[in-house]
Coordinates of all heavy atoms in Angstrom, one line a residue:
M278 N 98.8 87.0 116.0 CA 98.0 87.9 114.9 C 97.9 89.3 115.4 O 97.0 89.9 115.0 CB 96.6 87.2 114.8 CG 96.7 85.9 114.1 SD 97.4 86.0 112.5 CE 95.9 86.6 111.6
C279 N 98.8 89.8 116.4 CA 98.6 91.1 116.9 C 99.8 91.9 116.6 O 100.2 92.8 117.3 CB 98.4 91.0 118.5 SG 96.8 90.5 118.9
S280 N 100.6 91.7 115.5 CA 101.7 92.4 115.2 C 101.3 93.8 114.6 O 100.4 94.1 114.0 CB 102.4 91.7 114.1 OG 101.8 91.6 112.9
V281 N 102.1 94.7 115.2 CA 101.9 96.1 114.9 C 103.1 96.7 114.1 O 104.3 96.3 114.5 CB 101.6 97.0 116.2 CG1 101.5 98.5 115.8 CG2 100.5 96.5 117.0
G282 N 102.8 97.5 113.2 CA 103.9 98.1 112.3 C 104.3 97.0 111.2 O 105.3 97.5 110.5
D283 N 103.7 96.0 111.0 CA 104.0 95.2 109.9 C 103.3 95.6 108.6 O 102.1 95.4 108.5 CB 103.7 93.8 110.1 CG 104.1 92.7 109.1 OD1 104.6 93.2 108.1 OD2 103.8 91.5 109.2
V284 N 104.0 96.2 107.6 CA 103.3 96.8 106.5 C 103.5 95.9 105.2 O 103.2 96.4 104.2 CB 103.8 98.1 106.2 CG1 103.4 99.1 107.3 CG2 105.3 98.1 106.1
T285 N 104.0 94.7 105.5 CA 104.2 93.8 104.4 C 103.0 93.1 103.9 O 103.0 92.5 102.8 CB 105.4 92.8 104.6 OG1 105.0 92.1 105.8 CG2 106.7 93.6 104.9
G286 N 102.0 93.0 104.8 CA 100.8 92.2 104.5 C 99.7 93.1 104.0 O 98.6 92.7 104.2
I287 N 100.0 94.2 103.2 CA 98.9 95.0 102.8 C 98.1 94.4 101.7 O 98.6 93.6 100.9 CB 99.6 96.3 102.2 CG1 100.3 97.1 103.2 CG2 98.5 97.2 101.5 CD1 101.1 98.2 102.7
D288 N 96.8 94.6 101.8 CA 95.8 94.0 100.9 C 96.0 94.7 99.6 O 95.7 96.0 99.4 CB 94.4 94.2 101.5 CG 93.4 93.6 100.4 OD1 93.7 93.2 99.4 OD2 92.3 93.2 101.0
M289 N 96.4 93.8 98.6 CA 96.7 94.5 97.2 C 95.5 94.9 96.6 O 95.5 95.9 95.8 CB 97.3 93.4 96.4 CG 98.8 93.0 96.9 SD 99.9 94.4 96.7 CE 100.1 94.5 94.8
E290 N 94.3 94.5 96.8 CA 93.1 94.9 96.1 C 92.6 96.3 96.6 O 92.2 97.0 95.7 CB 92.0 93.9 96.3 CG 91.9 92.9 95.2 CD 90.6 92.0 95.2 OE1 90.5 91.2 96.1 OE2 89.7 92.2 94.4
T291 N 92.7 96.5 97.8 CA 92.3 97.8 98.3 C 93.3 99.0 98.0 O 93.1 100.1 98.1 CB 91.9 97.8 99.7 OG1 93.0 97.3 100.5 CG2 90.8 96.8 99.9
L292 N 94.6 98.6 97.9 CA 95.6 99.6 97.8 C 96.3 99.7 96.5 O 97.3 100.4 96.3 CB 96.7 99.3 99.0 CG 96.4 100.0 100.3 CD1 97.5 99.7 101.3 CD2 96.1 101.4 100.1
A293 N 95.9 99.0 95.5 CA 96.6 99.1 94.2 C 96.2 100.3 93.5 O 95.1 100.6 93.1 CB 96.0 97.9 93.4
P294 N 97.1 101.2 93.4 CA 96.9 102.5 92.7 C 96.8 102.4 91.2 O 97.5 101.5 90.6 CB 98.1 103.4 93.2 CG 99.2 102.4 93.4 CD 98.6 101.1 93.8
D295 N 96.0 103.2 90.6 CA 96.0 103.4 89.1 C 96.9 104.4 88.7 O 97.2 105.3 89.4 CB 94.6 103.6 88.7 CG 93.6 102.6 89.0 OD1 94.0 101.3 88.7 OD2 92.5 102.8 89.5
E296 N 97.5 104.3 87.5 CA 98.4 105.2 87.0 C 97.7 106.3 86.1 O 96.8 105.8 85.1 CB 99.6 104.6 86.2 CG 100.7 105.6 86.0 CD 102.0 105.0 85.5 OE1 101.9 103.8 85.1 OE2 103.0 105.6 85.4
Y297 N 97.9 107.5 86.3 CA 97.2 108.4 85.5 C 98.2 109.5 84.8 O 99.4 109.5 85.3 CB 96.3 109.4 86.4 CG 95.2 108.6 87.0 CD1 95.2 107.8 88.2 CD2 93.9 108.7 86.4 CE1 94.2 107.2 88.7 CE2 92.8 108.1 86.9 CZ 93.0 107.3 88.1 OH 91.8 106.7 88.6
E298 N 97.8 110.1 83.8 CA 98.7 111.1 83.3 C 97.8 112.4 83.2 O 96.7 112.4 82.8 CB 99.2 110.8 81.8 CG 100.0 111.8 81.1 CD 100.5 111.4 79.7 OE1 100.2 110.3 79.4 OE2 101.1 112.2 79.1
C299 N 98.4 113.5 83.6 CA 97.8 114.8 83.6 C 97.8 115.3 82.1 O 98.9 115.3 81.5 CB 98.5 115.7 84.4 SG 97.8 117.4 84.5
M300 N 96.6 115.7 81.6 CA 96.5 116.3 80.3 C 97.0 117.7 80.1 O 97.2 118.2 79.0 CB 95.1 116.1 79.7 CG 94.6 114.7 79.7 SD 95.4 113.8 78.2 CE 96.7 112.9 79.0
D301 N 97.2 118.3 81.2 CA 97.7 119.7 81.2 C 99.2 119.8 81.3 O 99.8 120.5 80.6 CB 97.0 120.5 82.4 CG 95.5 120.7 82.2 OD1 95.2 120.6 81.0 OD2 94.8 121.1 83.1
C302 N 99.8 119.1 82.2 CA 101.3 119.2 82.4 C 102.0 117.9 82.0 O 103.2 117.8 82.1 CB 101.6 119.6 83.8 SG 101.3 118.5 85.1
H303 N 101.2 116.8 81.8 CA 101.8 115.6 81.2 C 102.6 114.9 82.3 O 103.4 114.1 81.9 CB 102.5 115.7 79.9 CG 101.6 116.3 78.7 ND1 100.7 115.5 78.1 CD2 101.6 117.6 78.3 CE1 100.2 116.3 77.2 NE2 100.7 117.5 77.3
K304 N 102.3 115.1 83.5 CA 103.0 114.4 84.5 C 102.2 113.0 84.8 O 101.0 113.1 84.7 CB 103.0 115.3 85.8 CG 103.6 114.6 87.1 CD 103.5 115.4 88.2 CE 104.1 114.7 89.5 NZ 105.4 114.4 89.4
K305 N 103.0 112.1 85.0 CA 102.4 110.8 85.4 C 102.4 110.5 86.8 O 103.5 110.9 87.5 CB 103.1 109.7 84.6 CG 102.9 109.7 83.1 CD 103.6 108.6 82.5 CE 103.4 108.6 80.9 NZ 104.1 107.6 80.1
F306 N 101.4 110.0 87.4 CA 101.3 109.8 88.9 C 100.3 108.8 89.2 O 99.6 108.3 88.2 CB 100.9 111.1 89.6 CG 99.5 111.6 89.1 CD1 98.4 111.3 89.8 CD2 99.5 112.4 87.9 CE1 97.1 111.9 89.4 CE2 98.1 112.9 87.5 CZ 97.1 112.5 88.3
R307 N 100.3 108.4 90.4 CA 99.4 107.3 90.8 C 98.3 107.8 91.7 O 98.7 108.7 92.5 CB 100.1 106.2 91.4 CG 101.1 105.4 90.5 CD 101.9 104.3 91.3 NE 102.9 103.7 90.4 CZ 102.6 102.7 89.6 NH1 101.4 102.3 89.6 NH2 103.6 102.2 88.9
G308 N 97.2 107.5 91.5 CA 96.0 107.8 92.3 C 95.0 106.9 92.5 O 94.9 105.9 91.7
I309 N 94.2 107.0 93.5 CA 93.1 106.2 93.8 C 91.8 106.9 93.9 O 91.7 108.1 94.5 CB 93.4 105.4 95.2 CG1 94.7 104.5 95.0 CG2 92.2 104.4 95.5 CD1 95.1 104.0 96.4
G310 N 90.7 106.4 93.4 CA 89.5 107.0 93.5 C 89.0 107.6 92.2 O 89.7 107.5 91.1
K311 N 87.8 108.1 92.2 CA 87.1 108.5 90.9 C 87.5 110.0 90.7 O 87.4 110.4 89.4 CB 85.5 108.5 91.1 CG 85.1 107.1 91.3 CD 83.6 106.9 91.4 CE 83.2 105.5 91.4 NZ 81.7 105.4 91.7
H312 N 87.8 110.8 91.6 CA 88.2 112.2 91.3 C 89.6 112.4 91.6 O 89.9 113.0 92.7 CB 87.2 113.0 92.2 CG 85.7 113.0 91.9 ND1 85.1 113.3 90.7 CD2 84.8 112.3 92.5 CE1 83.8 113.1 90.6 NE2 83.6 112.3 91.9
V313 N 90.4 112.0 90.7 CA 91.8 112.1 90.8 C 92.3 113.5 90.3 O 91.8 113.9 89.3 CB 92.6 111.0 90.2 CG1 94.1 111.1 90.2 CG2 92.2 109.7 90.8
T314 N 93.1 114.1 91.0 CA 93.7 115.4 90.5 C 95.2 115.3 90.5 O 95.8 114.6 91.2 CB 93.3 116.5 91.5 OG1 93.7 116.3 92.8 CG2 91.8 116.8 91.3
C315 N 95.7 116.1 89.5 CA 97.2 116.0 89.4 C 97.9 116.7 90.6 O 97.6 117.8 91.0 CB 97.5 116.8 88.1 SG 99.3 117.1 87.8
P316 N 98.9 116.0 91.1 CA 99.6 116.5 92.3 C 100.5 117.6 92.0 O 101.0 118.4 92.8 CB 100.4 115.3 92.8 CG 100.6 114.5 91.5 CD 99.4 114.6 90.7
S317 N 100.7 117.8 90.7 CA 101.6 118.9 90.2 C 101.0 120.3 90.0 O 101.3 121.3 90.6 CB 102.5 118.5 89.0 OG 103.2 119.4 88.6
C318 N 99.8 120.2 89.2 CA 99.1 121.3 88.9 C 97.7 121.4 89.3 O 97.0 122.4 89.0 CB 99.2 121.6 87.3 SG 98.2 120.4 86.5
K319 N 97.3 120.4 90.2 CA 95.9 120.4 90.7 C 94.8 120.2 89.6 O 93.7 120.4 90.0 CB 95.7 121.6 91.6 CG 96.7 121.9 92.6 CD 97.0 120.6 93.6 CE 98.0 120.8 94.6 NZ 98.3 119.8 95.3
S320 N 95.2 119.9 88.4 CA 94.1 119.8 87.3 C 93.4 118.5 87.6 O 94.0 117.4 87.9 CB 94.8 119.8 86.0 OG 93.9 119.5 85.0
S321 N 92.1 118.5 87.3 CA 91.4 117.3 87.2 C 91.3 116.7 85.8 O 90.6 115.7 85.5 CB 90.0 117.5 87.8 OG 89.3 118.5 87.0
N322 N 92.0 117.2 84.9 CA 92.1 116.8 83.5 C 93.0 115.7 83.4 O 94.1 116.0 82.8 CB 92.3 118.1 82.7 CG 92.2 117.7 81.1 OD1 91.5 116.7 80.8 ND2 92.8 118.4 80.3
V323 N 92.7 114.6 83.9 CA 93.6 113.5 83.9 C 93.2 112.3 83.1 O 91.9 112.1 83.0 CB 94.0 113.1 85.3 CG1 94.7 114.2 86.1 CG2 92.8 112.5 86.0
K324 N 94.1 111.5 82.7 CA 93.7 110.3 81.9 C 94.1 109.1 82.6 O 95.3 109.0 83.0 CB 94.2 110.4 80.5 CG 94.0 109.1 79.6 CD 94.5 109.3 78.2 CE 96.0 109.2 78.2 NZ 96.6 109.2 76.8
L325 N 93.4 108.0 82.7 CA 93.8 106.8 83.3 C 94.6 106.0 82.2 O 94.2 105.9 81.0 CB 92.5 106.0 83.6 CG 92.8 104.6 84.2 CD1 93.6 104.6 85.5 CD2 91.5 103.9 84.4
L326 N 95.8 105.6 82.5 CA 96.7 104.8 81.6 C 96.5 103.4 81.7 O 95.9 102.8 82.6 CB 98.1 105.1 82.0 CG 98.6 106.5 81.9 CD1 100.1 106.7 82.3 CD2 98.4 107.2 80.6
Ligands
ZN667 ZN1 99.2 118.4 85.9

């Protein structure tokens, strides 16, 4: 149980990203958290899909 570098056993519940769409530039991206900002234009005007 001491394997290092094994990334196949990731906990899906903590790392499942939600998909958002930016209302300003309409880019779709994945983000985690309550204050997600668009990676393209940095807008916080995003919609959860
Ligand atoms: Zn944007």
Side-chain angles (χ1 to χ4, degrees):
M278 296 295 284
C279 286
S280 64
V281 177
D283 181 5
V284 293
T285 57
I287 294 175
D288 187 342
M289 292 295 288
E290 262 192 290
T291 57
L292 273 181
D295 293 315
E296 189 166 16
Y297 293 84
E298 180 178 354
C299 176
M300 294 290 95
D301 287 344
C302 69
H303 299 284
K304 178 183 178 63
K305 290 181 181 177
F306 60 96
R307 291 177 187 276
I309 301 175
K311 291 179 181 176
H312 299 286
V313 179
T314 55
C315 174
S317 180
C318 69
K319 309 300 182 186
S320 172
S321 59
N322 186 21
V323 298
K324 178 179 72 174
L325 178 62
L326 298 181

